Amino acid sequence: GGNTEQVRTAARAEGCTLAAAWVLDAATQECIGNVYGAPAIVNTKWVARFPGDLAASTLLILVCRPAQAAAE
């Protein structure tokens, strides 16, 4: 559970820099995504679906950014 930023923080604690989070809306069978760092219009369906906290039982598909190569 938690809000969108708490999901990001929890993912970061596990070594994942989130690019996006997706959920399948069971009623519409539509994938609804939140793309981190995108303009607000990109995430309007996500904000409408999750105006506050996500339920702890929400199944999320998380997309992590690739790890950055260490500078030599």
Side-chain angles (χ1 to χ4, degrees):
N3 64 38
T4 302
E5 285 307 309
Q6 289 170 319
V7 170
R8 176 190 252 181
T9 300
R12 188 177 295 130
E14 295 296 325
C16 170
T17 301
L18 276 182
W22 295 87
V23 65
L24 178 63
D25 186 312
T28 65
Q29 295 298 296
E30 177 181 28
C31 286
I32 300 171
N34 182 72
V35 180
Y36 290 88
I41 195 164
V42 173
N43 297 320
T44 55
K45 287 186 179 182
W46 178 276
V47 173
R49 176 70 173 81
F50 301 109
D53 288 352
L54 286 73
S57 61
T58 304
L59 177 63
L60 295 172
I61 299 169
L62 303 180
V63 181
C64 301
R65 296 191 188 282
Q68 298 295 323
E72 294 184 28

